[in-house]
Amino acid sequence: MEIILAETAKKIAPEMIVAISALVVSLVTATATIHSAYTSRAYARASLWPSLGAGVSFNENGFRFLLMNRGTGPAIVKSMRVQYEGKDIQTWQQFVDQVEPKSAVNWGTSFVSNITLPADDRLDAFTVNDPAFARKVYDQSDKLKVEICYCSVYDECWVTSDPLQQNQPVSQCPDRNEWDFAYYRDWE
């Protein structure tokens, strides 16, 4: 049995029709598989997307500088830069000394660089429990600029520095030699 196409007047063997049909089905299947894989990867990324924010808390119990991960996946904090009155500082002690030189008030800090903050978790990066000193720290907190670079488990990275939490995507985080707040090289 042969099929004749009117416009080309050529004969096509039934085996060729079966072969072309198989090729078309294979191409459709490959396209559907690729699309499915792309959709699955996008879903996986969305299900592990971190969203790091920073902020302050001040009340009668004291002052806290917080990191909060409001995303659905862990935030891997790679580097951090803190500026006070436009000048880089490397430790919270330098900030405390600027607020009140030779202060004898106790305060606490958590190591921030190179940590993983789980989804829906927070970290008190800097705390002051003395009410009078907490007020002084709070009054100076608007002079702080904190930039934090963090990544997802898929190595997608962002920098958060905006008080409105507008995280900006970046190709990679700055090197810790450049953003070296509270990072001790001998801990590596």
Side-chain angles (χ1 to χ4, degrees), residues 120-131:
D120 292 326
D121 203 358
R122 75 167 207 204
L123 174 73
D124 293 344
F126 176 64
T127 60
V128 177
N129 293 324
D130 178 86

Side-chain angles (χ1 to χ4, degrees), residues 46-68:
S47 68
L48 291 174
W49 177 70
S51 180
L52 195 66
V56 298
S57 170
F58 173 71
N59 57 33
E60 66 277 353
N61 296 322
F63 174 89
R64 297 200 181 336
F65 179 80
L66 310 163
L67 299 182
M68 300 155 286

Side-chain angles (χ1 to χ4, degrees), residues 14-30:
E15 297 84 21
M16 185 58 77
I17 292 174
V18 170
I20 291 172
S21 298
L23 179 62
V24 169
V25 168
S26 296
L27 289 174
V28 169
T29 302

Side-chain angles (χ1 to χ4, degrees), residues 118-153:
D120 292 326
D121 203 358
R122 75 167 207 204
L123 174 73
D124 293 344
F126 176 64
T127 60
V128 177
N129 293 324
D130 178 86
F133 188 61
R135 166 52 78 181
K136 290 180 183 179
V137 168
Y138 177 72
D139 289 343
Q140 296 299 309
S141 65
D142 62 334
K143 297 177 184 176
L144 281 174
K145 179 180 180 185
V146 179
E147 296 174 282
I148 303 165
C149 190
Y150 67 98
C151 300
S152 72
V153 295

